[in-house]
Amino acid sequence: MWWSLSSSFPPVSVLFLLHFLLLILFAHIAETRNSSIPAFFVFGDSTVDSGNNNYIKTISKSNFPPYGKDFPNHIPTGRFTNGRLVTDFLASDVGIKDYIPPYLDPTLSLDDLKTGVCFASAGTGFDPLTAQISGSIPIQKQLKYFKEYKSKMELYIGTERTRSLISKAVFFISVGTNDFIVNYYGPPIRRKTYTISAYQDFILQLGQQFLQGLLKLGARKIAFVGLPPIGCVPAVITLNSDNALINRGCIERLSSVARDYNRLLQSKLTAMQTHGANIIYVDIYTSVEEMIKKPQQFGFEEVNCGCCGSGIIEASILCNPYSLVCSDDSKYVFWDSVHPTEAAYYKVFKDLRSIVDKFSKD
């Protein structure tokens, strides 16, 4: 055969040819792996914000140490944790990109945009008042940004290819926690108008409107995250415990609000299933609760305070270069008093991998 060692081609040429063929094979495998999910789009709050708040006027920022201490090159990107987020792990796992960049980053190329971006903003919620309290990007404006994104892609790759890209992409929505712990149980504005059940219905209505907006713009693979056990967030424990230094158990009455909301959300999403679209409820509550109730099973030791500072009240600017930091953040469920560590996010990612696998098979 012409490529055999006995041919007139020298061995170096044979090795080069084999190397070239292997590169083509691996490229084909990677392309095949990526072909079912070409892009990943993220909407929500600080649990998924990869740095959009760096580019707006708000105190809800994390683009300074010790945030990002375990991110590649120790860069504080604006992610509210010590490293990567669940969405980074998910996008990397399916071969799209290692990290999902913030949409507002002015250095992004069109090719960066093509494979997906993050529109999330720390401090936001479905309720517009929540975003006002934090000075963050309202979820409704995040939808407008996506519409703007779609127009950019249509100019770049054409209308039909943009439609195909969006219909095959995964949309990940993680928002709602701030509506309760920052807004409803914060300044007594909404509590004067709404009972907790009425407020839950109000948030679900706004969530439904947002979802309908995404569907109208062509989204077909949507993962919608429920609430975590909000009563177990260290800052919530601190503000609601009768003795925050000693009694640091979860605040059950607040976690029960999250469970009720999640049940209602699941029913709402089931009712919104439409032909040609796949809307999946993402149970984050169970994943976080497992880490808190059985920490040793997952390699954790601290579950009711964060790694940064005292761990009971610090977040954002209160967790800063002058703060003390724990010696091993991989043993902590929470990085600051609100947000999980990269280790905790990785555990959540492993629990959610099957959801993206379902989208891959669509």
Side-chain angles (χ1 to χ4, degrees):
M1 298 177 73
W2 69 268
W3 61 82
S4 69
L5 290 175
S6 60
S7 70
S8 59
F9 285 91
V12 173
S13 298
V14 174
L15 289 174
F16 176 80
L17 178 61
L18 288 173
H19 179 69
F20 181 71
L21 290 172
L22 283 171
L23 286 176
I24 293 175
L25 176 62
F26 289 142
H28 174 71
I29 292 172
E31 184 179 354
T32 302
R33 191 180 181 212
N34 291 348
S35 60
S36 61
I37 300 178
F40 212 98
F41 299 105
V42 182
F43 301 83
D45 55 27
S46 58
T47 56
V48 288
D49 183 0
S50 59
N52 282 306
N53 276 22
N54 299 349
Y55 305 99
I56 64 172
K57 292 182 178 179
T58 176
I59 61 170
S60 297
K61 292 181 185 290
S62 60
N63 56 344
F64 44 80
Y67 289 99
K69 68 179 281 292
D70 299 306
F71 199 81
N73 298 321
H74 314 293
I75 298 172
T77 60
R79 288 166 172 81
F80 281 73
T81 186
N82 56 302
R84 289 162 289 182
L85 303 170
V86 171
T87 42
D88 293 317
F89 288 124
L90 288 171
S92 178
D93 188 56
V94 296
I96 296 175
K97 57 175 70 177
D98 289 333
Y99 318 105
I100 301 181
Y103 176 67
L104 296 184
D105 182 349
T107 67
L108 293 184
S109 68
L110 286 168
D111 282 336
D112 291 328
L113 292 171
K114 186 179 175 184
T115 50
V117 286
C118 169
F119 299 92
S121 174
T124 200
F126 283 120
D127 185 345
L129 179 60
T130 306
Q132 288 179 32
I133 292 171
S134 303
S136 54
I137 304 169
I139 196 73
Q140 296 80 8
K141 188 170 183 179
Q142 292 181 32
L143 188 64
K144 289 181 180 178
Y145 278 142
F146 178 65
K147 190 173 182 180
E148 177 184 274
Y149 165 91
K150 184 180 179 183
S151 296
K152 288 180 180 178
M153 282 298 103
E154 286 174 342
L155 289 172
Y156 180 47
I157 61 175
T159 302
E160 184 55 33
R161 288 178 65 190
T162 300
R163 185 204 62 78
S164 177
L165 172 73
I166 291 173
S167 68
K168 294 176 181 177
V170 169
F171 289 75
F172 195 90
I173 305 164
S174 178
V175 63
T177 300
N178 293 321
D179 290 316
F180 293 93
I181 65 175
V182 173
N183 188 344
Y184 190 82
Y185 291 109
I189 299 172
R190 292 304 193 206
R191 290 201 306 277
K192 289 182 178 179
T193 309
Y194 296 90
T195 63
I196 185 58
S197 60
Y199 190 68
Q200 287 172 330
D201 289 339
F202 173 61
I203 296 302
L204 288 165
Q205 255 186 339
L206 294 172
Q208 180 178 3
Q209 291 171 12
F210 177 76
L211 202 50
Q212 288 169 336
L214 280 182
L215 291 169
K216 188 175 180 181
L217 289 170
R220 292 297 176 264
K221 300 178 180 182
I222 303 171
F224 203 116
V225 181
L227 297 183
I230 58 178
C232 298
V233 174
V236 172
I237 295 173
T238 300
L239 295 172
N240 292 274
S241 174
D242 55 3
N243 189 333
L245 294 178
I246 298 172
N247 300 329
R248 296 204 57 78
C250 297
I251 310 299
E252 171 56 25
R253 64 182 175 84
L254 296 180
S255 290
S256 68
V257 168
R259 290 196 300 272
D260 290 342
Y261 172 87
N262 289 342
R263 282 193 291 270
L264 295 168
L265 175 59
Q266 289 179 72
S267 298
K268 180 76 74 175
L269 296 180
T270 299
M272 287 191 67
Q273 290 287 354
T274 60
H275 178 69
N278 190 1
I279 305 169
I280 297 178
Y281 167 75
V282 179
D283 176 20
I284 199 83
Y285 191 103
T286 301
S287 190
V288 175
E289 185 181 51
E290 284 177 346
M291 287 185 278
I292 291 169
K293 287 188 173 181
K294 305 172 185 176
Q296 289 80 16
Q297 185 175 326
F298 305 101
F300 296 108
E301 295 175 1
E302 295 289 344
V303 302
N304 56 29
C305 64
C307 170
C308 185
S310 69
I312 64 175
I313 200 65
E314 296 89 350
S316 189
I317 58 173
L318 296 180
C319 173
N320 56 57
Y322 302 101
S323 301
L324 295 174
V325 178
C326 67
S327 59
D328 187 355
D329 50 55
S330 70
K331 301 297 182 184
Y332 282 67
V333 171
F334 290 94
W335 163 248
D336 57 23
S337 69
V338 176
H339 308 97
T341 57
E342 180 185 76
Y345 277 137
Y346 186 73
K347 190 270 182 185
V348 173
F349 150 70
K350 289 193 293 184
D351 291 343
L352 303 188
R353 290 175 84 173
S354 60
I355 290 174
V356 177
D357 288 342
K358 290 178 184 176
F359 287 135
S360 299
K361 295 171 184 175
D362 282 358

